[in-house]
Amino acid sequence: MRRREDPRFLRGQGCYVDDLKLPDALHATFVRSPWAHAEIAGIERAELLALPGTQVFTAGDTDLGVNPAPPFIGIDPRMFRPLLASRRVRFAGDIVAVVLAESREQSIDAAELLAVDYRPLPHVTDVRAALRGEVLLFEEMGTNVCLHRPPEATDEHLLDGCEVVASGTLTSQRLAACPIEPRATVARFEDGRLTVWLSTQTPHQDKMVLGMLLGLEADRVRVVAPDVGGGFGGKGLDVEDGIIAWLARKTGRAVRWTETRSENLVAMHQGRAQQIDFEIGGTRTGKVQALRLRILQDAGAYPGLGAFLPNLTALMASGVYAIPRIEIDITSVLTNTTPTGPVRGAGRPEATQMLERAIELFGAEVSLDPVEVRRRNFIAREAFPFTTATGAKYDCGDYAGALDRLLERADYEQLREEQAARRRDPSARQLGIGLSVYVEVTNGIDEAEFGAVEMTATGEAVLKTGSFSQGQGHETTFAQIVADRLGLPLEKITVVKGDTDVVARGTGTYGSKSTQIGGSAAREASDGLVELAKELAADELEAGVEDMVFDSSRGRFAVVGAPGVGLTWSDLAERLDAAGRLQELSAEADFAAEQPTFPFGAHLAVVEVDTETGSVELKRMVAVDDAGRIINPLVAAGQVHGGLAAGIAQALYEELSFDADGNPANANLISYCIPGATEFPFYEVVEMETPTPVNPLGAKGIGESGTIGATPAVHNAVLDALAPLGVTHIDMPASGERVWRAIQAAR
Ligand code: MCN
């Protein structure tokens, strides 16, 4: 089944926030700090205000306070981010003022005229240096550490008794989510009510936070998310949106803002930025017994979700392996950089990247092939449900099965033979074969989702879902779920999402949770509607409800023993509509699962490395991804493809960095190397379905799986190619100059 939404997108008929026509709207441009760390000594606005029709607002002109971090993280409120910086800026991109004008061009020109007197301060962009606390972002705190979670009980003897111990550091570099549509916001305040059109993943949560920020009751706020051109974890209510909404109320005019690509690359939260020191120990026969981790998270200038994400890394630290003893210390630290937060995978890729490197190093120490060392440590197929030493309760899995399928498809033995042949000729481009076997958590914080199904007078169904699609294809897959339960053709199902006035409640889309909870809610609401309709049909047909049967292949209600007597959905809707009772033909459900789900898979990458230049070419990418029962194989494969691209990109291309002065070094798509289709081989995707017992669909999430598995497979492949040269460590992105330098160093 092809995606129903694609013709709209492909023909340019999508409607994004920037497409909304509001002729009377003021345009906003943010004035952002060019300094990583500075005092604001003064702001001179006379020249700017000389331009007709311009207004400027600094912290002192607003009554906006701080943007609180989510309460569950446990951050000291003294570190919360002011919506507008008042006395100090803490990263290049911090907002100092916002300028309004009648056109976008005018507001950009006017913003250039604001003269801000900055007194630069010493800055720190390196997380280990920030930990030392020589430069402090909040002096009153006396530290840059915003969150520290030591192990429950430190065991100095954790690795005692291990015959072999391997150690290292995995740096998961800073990444940009890089949605093709940057952030965009329009706000209007009319008759005491705020409407905000937002490019977001989470309309209902944004409505709640906007109400809190502006002191508005819930019924005074409406959030509408029209089409959204990608989020990848990066989108949700941000400080800019709070300011735009405040300005709409203040000025009484609609206010709009669409960021530029460069603004997006310095101001939207960034992902990963984690370093993990690991020690892995076990027996000489290759059985892992203990793992000790020290996780250092760069939270950026102000702590938010980024500070929390290493908790998910810790949860997933055992991966697909049965490791009896695991000890983890988490420290999140502030630096003078863009704040961090979720980017596709959000905390879980780091765990897999570390573990799949650690298991390789351990395997090398005990002279086992990468396949064999993994096999000796897998959680066995029969062991599920399985609780890891870190407390993750895995629902179901078959890791050995995934690896077997992968190796068969890739023809592993033959690949190793080809590699050996290349190694006999040092002038040849060397072949690297990299593996990863992963498990990840979806719906990780165990949420509920809302769904309602209503019948129209013509017998068509409308699903209102609290999930939100930024490109995942819910208009197709959620409609399939409803069509299947109601026995209606897909064309008769409409999926409505993203408007908080129309959809009663919701949590949105992230953590690959939509299908398992939003899809299950859609299913339960559909089933509820069928039960209701049975009663209504029984009334109409003057039969007992116990005698009604529903034929889900045709969407028809009939009386037992009298198959000729029956009503289709449209018959029933027509009758109820005529009686003014159509609204009775609707049902809703809130679906909460008992626990998260744990999709898993195995990936294999083949790279060719030119050992003279360091150039790396990815030749093959084979992927087995098991997300339980699949609703739509084509959509799921598309999700895997996108995920693989993102995962490969981290291994080989993408990195956000800061120069010695704390300037962002990658504020455009020339220097931030997001790859395109030409950089990727054809993917070889192998299907595998292990339905989960956790929800009625048997579905787990698939939106991030490809990303999580691919990065370590490709990273391992590059190191595998370089192994004969003595290279044992290389940071990502592992290609080009970095590979060349590693080779030189080893020589
Ligand atoms: N699906 C399926 N069978 C399953 C699981 C999923 O057919 N067993 C289908 C779903 O019905 C849905 C799609 O695959 O159409 C993804 O579903 P799911 O895994 O439930 O993930 P979500 O819908 O919750 O999407 C979130 C996930 C995340 S966290 C990021 S980040 C990400 C991703 O999806 N961002 C994306 N994929 C993206 N794809 C696009 N195009 N744009 C983004 O911003």
Side-chain angles (χ1 to χ4, degrees):
M1 178 79 66
R2 288 181 175 224
R3 290 177 18 138
R4 300 200 294 167
E5 46 270 78
D6 282 349
R8 180 168 93 242
F9 297 140
L10 294 172
R11 293 184 183 130
Q13 292 160 347
C15 179
Y16 301 86
V17 171
D18 201 54
D19 294 324
L20 297 170
K21 303 267 182 287
L22 284 121
D24 64 330
L26 291 166
H27 292 253
T29 294
F30 291 98
V31 177
R32 298 181 180 276
S33 167
W35 294 95
H37 202 191
E39 294 288 347
I40 301 173
I43 299 180
E44 183 47 65
R45 61 182 85 193
E47 206 183 339
L48 179 153
L49 291 175
L51 284 184
T54 52
Q55 306 176 57
V56 60
F57 297 85
T58 63
D61 306 317
T62 72
D63 55 3
L64 283 165
V66 290
N67 191 36
F72 59 85
I73 309 178
I75 300 287
D76 189 313
R78 287 175 292 174
M79 289 177 167
F80 288 172
R81 178 176 182 179
L83 272 82
L84 284 138
S86 54
R87 288 190 298 277
R88 185 186 280 216
V89 288
R90 294 185 176 84
F91 72 100
D94 219 348
I95 300 171
V96 178
V98 56
V99 174
L100 293 182
E102 295 293 332
S103 75
R104 184 176 162 92
E105 294 74 10
Q106 257 177 10
S107 78
I108 295 170
D109 287 349
E112 302 258 321
L113 299 177
L114 192 76
V116 185
D117 183 9
Y118 296 101
R119 302 275 154 82
L121 294 167
H123 67 273
V124 59
T125 56
D126 176 77
V127 67
R128 288 190 197 258
L131 188 59
R132 290 197 295 273
E134 286 146 18
V135 172
L136 291 175
L137 275 78
F138 293 86
E139 265 108 20
E140 62 276 27
M141 299 296 303
T143 175
N144 291 319
V145 173
C146 59
L147 185 141
H148 183 211
R149 208 188 90 189
E152 272 167 26
T154 311
D155 179 4
E156 281 168 31
H157 305 290
L158 190 86
L159 293 155
D160 286 5
C162 292
E163 293 163 334
V164 179
V165 176
S167 63
T169 298
L170 185 286
T171 300
S172 195
Q173 78 272 27
R174 185 180 278 254
L175 297 181
C178 232
I180 293 306
E181 181 205 19
R183 290 175 300 168
T185 313
V186 177
R188 188 164 63 191
F189 197 76
E190 249 176 11
D191 305 326
R193 205 157 184 256
L194 175 73
T195 303
V196 179
W197 290 267
L198 203 58
S199 182
T200 183
Q201 305 177 194
T202 48
H204 288 85
Q205 295 190 27
D206 302 341
K207 169 184 154 126
M208 192 187 70
V209 179
L210 273 169
M212 265 166 37
L213 278 178
L214 301 182
L216 291 167
E217 296 292 327
D219 63 351
R220 298 292 196 85
V221 186
R222 175 186 185 190
V223 171
V224 185
D227 285 326
V228 170
F232 305 107
K235 285 183 181 165
L237 195 87
D238 223 324
V239 289
E240 287 86 351
D241 310 311
I243 297 171
I244 298 294
W246 183 89
L247 287 168
R249 184 169 65 175
K250 175 79 180 168
T251 60
R253 300 265 306 266
V255 178
R256 71 188 311 158
W257 166 70
T258 300
E259 70 184 346
T260 63
R261 174 61 56 196
S262 289
E263 194 173 19
N264 177 268
L265 282 166
V266 300
M268 186 167 87
H269 74 241
Q270 303 176 342
R272 312 281 193 272
Q274 203 185 88
Q275 296 186 17
I276 311 178
D277 299 325
F278 60 82
E279 287 174 281
I280 183 168
T283 65
R284 257 186 224 105
T285 54
K287 194 90 187 123
V288 177
Q289 295 166 309
L291 180 69
R292 176 181 283 141
L293 306 179
R294 184 162 184 268
I295 305 180
L296 208 52
Q297 174 70 51
D298 183 347
Y302 301 100
L305 275 177
F308 164 79
L309 292 178
N311 285 295
L312 293 183
T313 315
L315 181 73
M316 297 313 296
S318 193
V320 292
Y321 309 114
I323 305 178
R325 302 193 298 275
I326 302 182
E327 187 182 289
I328 305 173
D329 181 285
I330 292 174
T331 311
S332 296
V333 187
L334 301 183
T335 58
N336 293 116
T337 62
T338 306
T340 56
V343 166
R344 206 170 195 170
R348 296 101 78 202
E350 294 87 330
T352 310
Q353 291 163 16
M354 170 279 301
L355 196 54
E356 289 304 275
R357 200 75 279 285
I359 197 86
E360 295 263 325
L361 289 176
F362 177 74
E365 289 290 329
V366 295
S367 305
L368 282 179
D369 177 90
V371 169
E372 190 50 36
V373 69
R374 286 177 169 84
R375 282 210 174 112
R376 288 195 191 175
N377 289 287
F378 281 145
I379 296 163
R381 191 177 308 162
E382 313 73 55
F384 295 92
F386 182 88
T387 303
T388 68
T390 61
K393 272 168 59 189
Y394 295 170
D395 49 347
C396 58
D398 178 7
Y399 310 138
L403 182 60
D404 288 344
R405 282 177 196 227
L406 179 81
L407 298 177
E408 194 189 329
R409 172 63 183 259
D411 200 351
Y412 185 71
E413 299 302 326
Q414 203 272 327
L415 280 172
R416 287 284 179 209
E417 278 167 29
E418 191 183 336
Q419 180 182 50
R422 298 265 192 117
R423 283 183 177 175
R424 286 191 286 275
D425 173 9
S427 69
R429 285 163 70 92
Q430 292 303 308
L431 211 61
I433 303 158
L435 280 178
S436 85
V437 187
Y438 74 89
V439 55
E440 76 127 331
V441 56
T442 58
N443 189 27
I445 43 179
D446 221 352
E447 292 169 280
E449 193 51 278
F450 170 78
V453 182
E454 297 167 5
M455 202 48 77
T456 68
T458 53
E460 303 196 359
V462 177
L463 167 70
K464 295 178 175 173
T465 173
S467 298
F468 184 80
S469 176
Q470 317 102 49
Q472 290 88 349
H474 296 174
E475 285 172 45
T476 306
T477 52
F478 280 38
Q480 283 182 266
I481 293 168
V482 175
D484 187 48
R485 304 308 291 178
L486 299 186
L488 283 172
L490 200 72
E491 315 80 76
K492 295 208 165 176
I493 317 290
T494 306
V495 177
V496 173
K497 61 183 179 7
D499 184 338
T500 61
D501 268 9
V502 178
V503 181
R505 50 193 173 273
T507 63
T509 284
Y510 48 88
S512 302
K513 69 192 179 89
S514 304
T515 309
Q516 56 196 294
I517 53 174
S520 293
R523 176 181 154 124
E524 290 199 343
S526 304
D527 290 351
L529 187 66
V530 168
E531 288 312 309
L532 256 174
K534 265 190 196 163
E535 288 174 23
L536 294 165
D539 275 354
E540 290 293 324
L541 299 174
E542 293 174 358
V545 69
E546 63 287 352
D547 292 331
M548 296 301 299
V549 283
F550 176 61
D551 178 354
S552 66
S553 67
R554 297 162 59 200
R556 186 169 179 274
F557 300 86
V559 180
V560 142
V565 184
L567 294 173
T568 63
W569 282 109
S570 53
D571 298 336
L572 183 61
E574 201 179 312
R575 288 189 186 204
L576 288 168
D577 190 36
R581 295 174 58 197
L582 185 63
Q583 74 285 358
E584 289 176 38
L585 211 46
S586 68
E588 57 181 57
D590 290 279
F591 181 83
E594 280 159 29
Q595 66 152 86
T597 60
F598 293 85
F600 61 93
H603 290 184
L604 182 143
V606 181
V607 298
E608 247 180 28
V609 180
D610 183 333
T611 53
E612 294 300 315
T613 65
S615 145
V616 174
E617 195 182 339
L618 180 63
K619 303 300 283 184
R620 282 181 74 189
M621 189 76 222
V622 193
V624 180
D625 295 282
D626 189 323
R629 187 165 290 123
I630 294 298
I631 309 300
N632 181 320
L634 194 60
V635 170
Q639 286 293 308
V640 169
H641 283 204
L644 292 174
I648 295 164
Q650 175 166 15
L652 295 182
Y653 303 110
E654 295 183 18
E655 175 169 38
L656 289 164
S657 57
F658 296 84
D659 72 12
D661 296 322
N663 296 312
N666 320 82
N668 57 51
L669 293 184
I670 303 292
S671 50
Y672 187 71
C673 300
I674 186 169
T678 46
E679 272 82 21
F680 301 119
F682 279 96
Y683 303 135
E684 299 165 61
V685 175
V686 185
E687 286 174 12
M688 179 165 178
E689 290 186 46
T690 308
T692 175
V694 169
N695 61 63
L697 294 169
K700 308 184 185 192
I702 200 156
E704 294 155 292
S705 305
T707 307
I708 291 171
T711 309
V714 177
H715 189 204
N716 281 336
V718 175
L719 280 155
D720 184 54
L722 300 178
L725 304 174
V727 176
T728 54
H729 173 89
I730 187 160
D731 281 332
M732 298 184 290
S735 66
E737 187 179 342
R738 190 169 272 155
V739 169
W740 184 81
R741 282 189 193 286
I743 295 169
Q744 300 311 310
R747 272 179 184 154

